[in-house]
Short mmCIF file of all heavy atoms in Angstrom, two decimals:
data_model
loop_
_atom_site.label_atom_id
_atom_site.label_comp_id
_atom_site.label_asym_id
_atom_site.label_seq_id
_atom_site.Cartn_x
_atom_site.Cartn_y
_atom_site.Cartn_z
N GLU A 65 -1.16 20.59 -5.98
CA GLU A 65 -2.36 21.48 -6.41
C GLU A 65 -3.26 21.57 -5.24
O GLU A 65 -4.55 21.48 -5.49
CB GLU A 65 -3.00 20.89 -7.62
CG GLU A 65 -2.04 20.99 -8.76
CD GLU A 65 -2.70 20.42 -10.09
OE1 GLU A 65 -3.94 19.99 -10.09
OE2 GLU A 65 -2.06 20.56 -11.23
N GLY A 66 -2.83 21.84 -3.99
CA GLY A 66 -3.68 22.06 -2.88
C GLY A 66 -4.27 20.85 -2.22
O GLY A 66 -5.01 20.89 -1.17
N VAL A 67 -4.04 19.67 -2.76
CA VAL A 67 -4.42 18.38 -2.17
C VAL A 67 -3.36 17.71 -1.46
O VAL A 67 -2.28 17.58 -1.98
CB VAL A 67 -5.05 17.48 -3.33
CG1 VAL A 67 -5.40 16.17 -2.85
CG2 VAL A 67 -6.15 18.14 -4.05
N ILE A 68 -3.55 17.23 -0.17
CA ILE A 68 -2.71 16.41 0.46
C ILE A 68 -2.67 15.08 -0.25
O ILE A 68 -3.54 14.32 -0.26
CB ILE A 68 -2.93 16.30 1.87
CG1 ILE A 68 -3.08 17.59 2.61
CG2 ILE A 68 -1.97 15.29 2.65
CD1 ILE A 68 -3.48 17.54 4.06
N ALA A 69 -1.52 14.85 -0.98
CA ALA A 69 -1.37 13.51 -1.71
C ALA A 69 -0.71 12.42 -0.97
O ALA A 69 -0.76 11.20 -1.28
CB ALA A 69 -0.52 13.89 -2.98
N GLY A 70 0.05 12.74 0.13
CA GLY A 70 0.71 11.65 0.86
C GLY A 70 1.38 12.29 2.02
O GLY A 70 1.45 13.50 2.27
N PHE A 71 1.92 11.42 3.03
CA PHE A 71 2.62 11.94 4.15
C PHE A 71 3.58 10.82 4.69
O PHE A 71 3.39 9.67 4.28
CB PHE A 71 1.63 12.34 5.22
CG PHE A 71 0.93 11.15 5.98
CD1 PHE A 71 1.50 10.68 7.09
CD2 PHE A 71 -0.17 10.50 5.23
CE1 PHE A 71 0.72 9.67 7.76
CE2 PHE A 71 -0.82 9.53 6.01
CZ PHE A 71 -0.36 9.05 7.23
N TYR A 72 4.42 11.19 5.57
CA TYR A 72 5.15 10.31 6.35
C TYR A 72 5.22 10.71 7.80
O TYR A 72 4.98 11.93 8.18
CB TYR A 72 6.59 9.98 5.80
CG TYR A 72 7.56 11.12 5.99
CD1 TYR A 72 8.28 11.37 7.13
CD2 TYR A 72 7.88 12.00 4.87
CE1 TYR A 72 9.20 12.44 7.25
CE2 TYR A 72 8.81 13.04 5.03
CZ TYR A 72 9.42 13.16 6.21
OH TYR A 72 10.30 14.23 6.36
N LEU A 73 5.50 9.75 8.72
CA LEU A 73 5.73 10.08 10.07
C LEU A 73 6.87 9.19 10.55
O LEU A 73 6.94 8.04 10.41
CB LEU A 73 4.43 9.66 11.01
CG LEU A 73 4.50 10.17 12.34
CD1 LEU A 73 3.03 10.70 12.77
CD2 LEU A 73 4.79 8.95 13.33
N LEU A 74 7.90 9.93 11.08
CA LEU A 74 9.09 9.29 11.70
C LEU A 74 9.08 9.39 13.21
O LEU A 74 8.67 10.46 13.74
CB LEU A 74 10.37 10.06 11.20
CG LEU A 74 10.80 9.86 9.85
CD1 LEU A 74 11.94 10.86 9.43
CD2 LEU A 74 11.33 8.34 9.58
N VAL A 75 9.43 8.33 13.87
CA VAL A 75 9.67 8.34 15.30
C VAL A 75 11.11 8.32 15.60
O VAL A 75 11.99 7.55 15.10
CB VAL A 75 9.01 7.09 15.94
CG1 VAL A 75 9.28 7.05 17.36
CG2 VAL A 75 7.53 7.08 15.64
N ARG A 76 11.51 9.49 16.28
CA ARG A 76 12.97 9.59 16.65
C ARG A 76 13.49 8.66 17.68
O ARG A 76 12.70 8.20 18.50
CB ARG A 76 13.18 11.04 17.16
CG ARG A 76 13.01 12.15 16.26
CD ARG A 76 13.08 13.48 17.01
NE ARG A 76 12.90 14.54 16.02
CZ ARG A 76 13.94 15.33 15.73
NH1 ARG A 76 15.16 15.23 16.14
NH2 ARG A 76 13.76 16.32 14.81
N SER A 77 14.78 8.29 17.42
CA SER A 77 15.40 7.43 18.43
C SER A 77 16.84 7.81 18.37
O SER A 77 17.12 8.93 17.84
CB SER A 77 15.26 5.93 17.98
OG SER A 77 15.80 5.12 18.95
N ASP A 78 17.80 7.06 18.79
CA ASP A 78 19.16 7.39 18.69
C ASP A 78 19.61 7.34 17.28
O ASP A 78 19.43 8.26 16.53
CB ASP A 78 20.03 6.52 19.67
CG ASP A 78 19.67 6.75 21.10
OD1 ASP A 78 19.28 7.92 21.50
OD2 ASP A 78 19.72 5.80 21.91
N ALA A 79 20.34 6.34 16.82
CA ALA A 79 20.95 6.27 15.60
C ALA A 79 19.99 5.76 14.49
O ALA A 79 20.13 6.02 13.38
CB ALA A 79 22.12 5.37 15.68
N CYS A 80 19.00 4.95 14.88
CA CYS A 80 18.02 4.36 14.00
C CYS A 80 16.69 4.79 14.37
O CYS A 80 16.12 4.45 15.32
CB CYS A 80 18.21 2.80 14.04
SG CYS A 80 17.14 2.03 12.81
N TRP A 81 16.12 5.66 13.40
CA TRP A 81 14.69 6.13 13.67
C TRP A 81 13.77 5.08 13.01
O TRP A 81 14.17 4.21 12.35
CB TRP A 81 14.53 7.52 12.88
CG TRP A 81 15.24 8.62 13.50
CD1 TRP A 81 16.36 8.55 14.39
CD2 TRP A 81 14.87 9.96 13.32
NE1 TRP A 81 16.67 9.88 14.76
CE2 TRP A 81 15.84 10.71 14.12
CE3 TRP A 81 14.03 10.72 12.61
CZ2 TRP A 81 15.87 12.10 14.20
CZ3 TRP A 81 13.97 12.07 12.70
CH2 TRP A 81 14.90 12.77 13.42
N SER A 82 12.49 5.24 13.22
CA SER A 82 11.44 4.34 12.69
C SER A 82 10.49 5.12 11.81
O SER A 82 10.00 6.19 12.19
CB SER A 82 10.69 3.66 13.82
OG SER A 82 11.41 2.71 14.59
N LEU A 83 10.23 4.56 10.66
CA LEU A 83 9.24 5.10 9.74
C LEU A 83 7.97 4.40 10.09
O LEU A 83 7.80 3.25 9.82
CB LEU A 83 9.64 4.76 8.27
CG LEU A 83 8.65 5.38 7.23
CD1 LEU A 83 8.79 6.90 7.24
CD2 LEU A 83 9.05 4.77 5.84
N ASP A 84 7.06 5.15 10.79
CA ASP A 84 5.79 4.58 11.31
C ASP A 84 4.76 4.52 10.19
O ASP A 84 3.79 3.80 10.20
CB ASP A 84 5.30 5.26 12.56
CG ASP A 84 5.81 4.56 13.78
OD1 ASP A 84 6.78 3.78 13.75
OD2 ASP A 84 5.25 4.81 14.88
N HIS A 85 4.75 5.56 9.38
CA HIS A 85 3.83 5.77 8.27
C HIS A 85 4.46 6.34 7.08
O HIS A 85 5.33 7.26 7.24
CB HIS A 85 2.70 6.65 8.81
CG HIS A 85 1.78 6.04 9.79
ND1 HIS A 85 0.78 5.21 9.56
CD2 HIS A 85 1.81 6.22 11.10
CE1 HIS A 85 0.17 4.82 10.62
NE2 HIS A 85 0.79 5.47 11.71
N LEU A 86 4.10 5.79 5.86
CA LEU A 86 4.41 6.56 4.65
C LEU A 86 3.31 6.03 3.69
O LEU A 86 3.22 4.91 3.34
CB LEU A 86 5.80 6.21 4.08
CG LEU A 86 6.09 6.92 2.84
CD1 LEU A 86 7.64 7.14 2.76
CD2 LEU A 86 5.66 6.49 1.54
N TRP A 87 2.41 6.99 3.22
CA TRP A 87 1.26 6.63 2.57
C TRP A 87 1.06 7.73 1.48
O TRP A 87 1.36 8.87 1.66
CB TRP A 87 0.03 6.63 3.35
CG TRP A 87 0.02 5.62 4.48
CD1 TRP A 87 0.30 5.82 5.75
CD2 TRP A 87 -0.10 4.20 4.34
NE1 TRP A 87 0.19 4.71 6.59
CE2 TRP A 87 0.02 3.61 5.62
CE3 TRP A 87 -0.30 3.28 3.33
CZ2 TRP A 87 -0.10 2.28 5.90
CZ3 TRP A 87 -0.51 2.02 3.58
CH2 TRP A 87 -0.35 1.45 4.92
N VAL A 88 0.61 7.23 0.25
CA VAL A 88 0.18 8.18 -0.80
C VAL A 88 -1.22 7.83 -1.23
O VAL A 88 -1.56 6.61 -1.37
CB VAL A 88 1.22 7.94 -1.99
CG1 VAL A 88 0.73 8.81 -3.19
CG2 VAL A 88 2.59 8.38 -1.59
N LEU A 89 -1.97 8.73 -1.52
CA LEU A 89 -3.40 8.57 -1.98
C LEU A 89 -3.29 7.60 -3.18
O LEU A 89 -2.49 7.84 -4.08
CB LEU A 89 -3.95 9.87 -2.49
CG LEU A 89 -4.67 10.82 -1.40
CD1 LEU A 89 -5.06 12.06 -2.01
CD2 LEU A 89 -5.87 10.05 -0.77
N PRO A 90 -4.22 6.57 -3.21
CA PRO A 90 -4.18 5.72 -4.47
C PRO A 90 -4.30 6.43 -5.80
O PRO A 90 -3.54 6.05 -6.62
CB PRO A 90 -5.42 4.80 -4.15
CG PRO A 90 -5.62 4.83 -2.67
CD PRO A 90 -5.14 6.32 -2.27
N GLU A 91 -5.06 7.40 -5.81
CA GLU A 91 -5.18 8.12 -7.21
C GLU A 91 -4.00 9.02 -7.53
O GLU A 91 -3.92 9.50 -8.63
CB GLU A 91 -6.43 8.89 -7.21
CG GLU A 91 -6.56 10.07 -6.19
CD GLU A 91 -7.27 9.58 -4.90
OE1 GLU A 91 -7.29 8.33 -4.49
OE2 GLU A 91 -7.77 10.41 -4.14
N MET A 92 -3.10 9.17 -6.48
CA MET A 92 -1.85 9.93 -6.78
C MET A 92 -0.67 9.02 -6.92
O MET A 92 0.56 9.51 -6.96
CB MET A 92 -1.65 10.91 -5.64
CG MET A 92 -2.69 12.01 -5.53
SD MET A 92 -2.64 13.20 -6.83
CE MET A 92 -3.61 14.48 -6.13
N GLY A 93 -0.91 7.78 -7.01
CA GLY A 93 0.21 6.74 -7.08
C GLY A 93 0.86 6.91 -8.39
O GLY A 93 0.43 7.45 -9.40
N ARG A 94 2.08 6.28 -8.46
CA ARG A 94 2.90 6.22 -9.66
C ARG A 94 3.39 7.58 -10.29
O ARG A 94 3.53 7.71 -11.39
CB ARG A 94 2.11 5.46 -10.72
CG ARG A 94 1.71 4.06 -10.25
CD ARG A 94 2.86 3.07 -10.31
NE ARG A 94 2.32 1.76 -10.06
CZ ARG A 94 3.03 0.92 -9.33
NH1 ARG A 94 4.31 1.23 -9.00
NH2 ARG A 94 2.62 -0.24 -8.96
N ARG A 95 3.49 8.53 -9.30
CA ARG A 95 4.02 9.83 -9.75
C ARG A 95 5.29 10.21 -9.13
O ARG A 95 5.76 11.29 -9.27
CB ARG A 95 2.95 10.91 -9.45
CG ARG A 95 1.65 10.72 -10.06
CD ARG A 95 0.71 11.82 -9.58
NE ARG A 95 -0.68 11.66 -10.16
CZ ARG A 95 -1.61 12.55 -10.28
NH1 ARG A 95 -1.26 13.78 -9.97
NH2 ARG A 95 -2.82 12.21 -10.80
N GLY A 96 5.74 9.27 -8.36
CA GLY A 96 7.10 9.49 -7.63
C GLY A 96 6.94 10.16 -6.30
O GLY A 96 7.95 10.50 -5.60
N TYR A 97 5.72 10.28 -5.88
CA TYR A 97 5.45 10.92 -4.50
C TYR A 97 6.00 10.08 -3.32
O TYR A 97 6.47 10.71 -2.43
CB TYR A 97 3.94 11.31 -4.46
CG TYR A 97 3.44 12.27 -5.32
CD1 TYR A 97 2.13 12.48 -5.52
CD2 TYR A 97 4.29 13.17 -5.97
CE1 TYR A 97 1.61 13.38 -6.40
CE2 TYR A 97 3.78 14.19 -7.01
CZ TYR A 97 2.43 14.18 -7.05
OH TYR A 97 2.00 15.17 -8.01
N GLY A 98 5.75 8.79 -3.45
CA GLY A 98 6.29 7.89 -2.40
C GLY A 98 7.71 8.06 -2.23
O GLY A 98 8.37 8.13 -1.18
N SER A 99 8.43 8.03 -3.42
CA SER A 99 9.94 8.13 -3.41
C SER A 99 10.37 9.51 -2.97
O SER A 99 11.25 9.60 -2.14
CB SER A 99 10.54 7.86 -4.87
OG SER A 99 10.20 6.59 -5.28
N ALA A 100 9.59 10.51 -3.32
CA ALA A 100 10.03 11.92 -2.85
C ALA A 100 9.80 11.97 -1.29
O ALA A 100 10.64 12.55 -0.67
CB ALA A 100 9.04 12.92 -3.59
N LEU A 101 8.69 11.45 -0.70
CA LEU A 101 8.51 11.48 0.66
C LEU A 101 9.64 10.61 1.42
O LEU A 101 10.09 11.07 2.42
CB LEU A 101 7.17 10.87 0.98
CG LEU A 101 5.91 11.87 0.73
CD1 LEU A 101 4.64 11.06 0.72
CD2 LEU A 101 5.87 12.95 1.80
N LEU A 102 9.90 9.45 0.83
CA LEU A 102 10.96 8.68 1.54
C LEU A 102 12.37 9.39 1.53
O LEU A 102 13.10 9.37 2.42
CB LEU A 102 11.01 7.30 0.92
CG LEU A 102 12.03 6.27 1.67
CD1 LEU A 102 11.65 6.20 3.14
CD2 LEU A 102 12.02 5.00 0.94
N ALA A 103 12.66 10.03 0.34
CA ALA A 103 13.92 10.85 0.30
C ALA A 103 13.91 11.91 1.28
O ALA A 103 14.96 12.16 1.93
CB ALA A 103 14.06 11.32 -1.13
N HIS A 104 12.77 12.58 1.47
CA HIS A 104 12.66 13.73 2.33
C HIS A 104 12.78 13.14 3.84
O HIS A 104 13.52 13.75 4.68
CB HIS A 104 11.37 14.40 2.18
CG HIS A 104 11.26 15.72 2.91
ND1 HIS A 104 10.88 15.75 4.25
CD2 HIS A 104 11.50 17.01 2.53
CE1 HIS A 104 10.82 16.99 4.64
NE2 HIS A 104 11.22 17.77 3.66
N ALA A 105 12.20 12.15 4.09
CA ALA A 105 12.21 11.44 5.39
C ALA A 105 13.74 11.07 5.75
O ALA A 105 14.29 11.22 6.85
CB ALA A 105 11.38 10.25 5.52
N SER A 106 14.42 10.50 4.75
CA SER A 106 15.75 10.11 4.91
C SER A 106 16.70 11.21 5.19
O SER A 106 17.51 11.25 6.16
CB SER A 106 16.32 9.39 3.62
OG SER A 106 15.60 8.19 3.47
N ALA A 107 16.44 12.36 4.48
CA ALA A 107 17.32 13.53 4.70
C ALA A 107 17.10 14.21 5.95
O ALA A 107 17.91 14.65 6.71
CB ALA A 107 17.12 14.57 3.48
N THR A 108 15.72 14.15 6.34
CA THR A 108 15.32 14.77 7.66
C THR A 108 15.97 14.02 8.79
O THR A 108 16.55 14.57 9.74
CB THR A 108 13.85 14.70 7.85
OG1 THR A 108 13.28 15.57 6.81
CG2 THR A 108 13.38 15.28 9.11
N ALA A 109 15.95 12.73 8.83
CA ALA A 109 16.57 11.85 9.76
C ALA A 109 18.07 11.93 9.77
O ALA A 109 18.64 12.03 10.86
CB ALA A 109 16.05 10.29 9.64
N ARG A 110 18.62 11.88 8.63
CA ARG A 110 20.06 11.96 8.53
C ARG A 110 20.63 13.30 9.00
O ARG A 110 21.55 13.33 9.91
CB ARG A 110 20.49 11.82 7.07
CG ARG A 110 22.13 11.86 6.86
CD ARG A 110 22.51 12.11 5.46
NE ARG A 110 22.05 13.33 4.91
CZ ARG A 110 21.27 13.45 3.88
NH1 ARG A 110 20.94 12.53 3.12
NH2 ARG A 110 20.96 14.72 3.60
N ASP A 111 19.89 14.38 8.67
CA ASP A 111 20.36 15.79 9.18
C ASP A 111 20.20 15.87 10.70
O ASP A 111 20.86 16.78 11.28
CB ASP A 111 19.56 16.79 8.42
CG ASP A 111 19.89 16.95 6.89
OD1 ASP A 111 20.87 16.21 6.53
OD2 ASP A 111 19.13 17.62 6.25
N ALA A 112 19.36 15.10 11.33
CA ALA A 112 19.23 15.11 12.75
C ALA A 112 20.04 14.13 13.43
O ALA A 112 19.97 13.89 14.67
CB ALA A 112 17.70 14.85 13.03
#
Side-chain angles (χ1 to χ4, degrees):
E65 297 180 355
V67 174
I68 300 173
F71 75 97
Y72 72 81
L73 188 138
L74 283 169
V75 175
R76 292 175 178 251
S77 189
D78 293 327
C80 187
W81 289 22
S82 293
L83 183 68
D84 270 16
H85 293 276
L86 189 150
W87 301 101
V88 173
L89 278 172
E91 61 269 25
M92 296 285 197
R94 305 281 182 213
R95 299 182 188 198
Y97 294 160
S99 297
L101 284 164
L102 187 58
H104 190 277
S106 297
T108 299
R110 182 194 64 234
D111 292 349

